[in-house]
Amino acid sequence: QVQLVESGGGLVQAGGSLRLSCAASGSIFSVSAMEWYRQAPGSQRELVAGITTGGRTNYADSVKGRFTISRDNAKNTVYLQMNSLNSEDTAVYYCNWGVRSAAGWGIYWGQGTQVTVSS
């Protein structure tokens, strides 16, 4: 059983920073892309950032230049460094991985971590 656990969310003032982490546990053979999504109240879940096994990254236009995604393959962990936060970044943030485990390939989601930016 693969499990993803996010951490690092919280309350921060506008202009501040947070670093989210998403750590995987379980019988993991390999990992494909790792992604961060977010969902604000009343809105659809949207892709924030992604990173491939080779380290190629992509970002939503709204976070380019402010957010940085990175991964530590040895620790099976992906990070999202968020700088210059504003109220529009308030949302629940979820990590999403493609994982090959003993059960085969699957897409896994974390439980979400709340990020609240106060103005």
Side-chain angles (χ1 to χ4, degrees):
Q1 183 74 14
V2 176
Q3 189 174 17
L4 303 183
V5 178
E6 297 119 335
S7 60
L11 175 64
V12 64
Q13 288 189 330
S17 298
L18 283 174
R19 188 193 195 205
L20 305 183
S21 299
C22 174
S25 61
S27 180
I28 297 172
F29 297 162
S30 60
V31 179
S32 62
M34 299 173 172
E35 298 174 326
W36 285 97
Y37 286 75
R38 67 185 181 187
Q39 187 167 20
S43 299
Q44 290 188 330
R45 191 171 297 188
E46 63 173 353
L47 177 64
V48 175
I51 185 167
T52 67
T53 52
R56 186 175 303 175
T57 59
N58 64 282
Y59 298 93
D61 288 342
S62 59
V63 306
K64 281 181 181 177
R66 301 188 298 121
F67 289 12
T68 302
I69 187 171
S70 60
R71 62 192 286 171
D72 185 331
N73 292 328
K75 294 182 179 180
N76 276 335
T77 301
V78 63
Y79 304 96
L80 186 67
Q81 177 67 43
M82 307 186 295
N83 299 328
S84 301
L85 287 161
N86 59 61
S87 59
E88 293 183 350
D89 297 316
T90 294
V92 179
Y93 285 70
Y94 301 89
C95 59
N96 172 287
W97 292 24
V99 175
R100 186 169 73 89
S101 67
W105 276 105
I107 302 297
Y108 295 87
W109 290 89
Q111 82 287 355
T113 185
Q114 176 70 48
V115 172
T116 302
V117 183
S118 63
S119 56

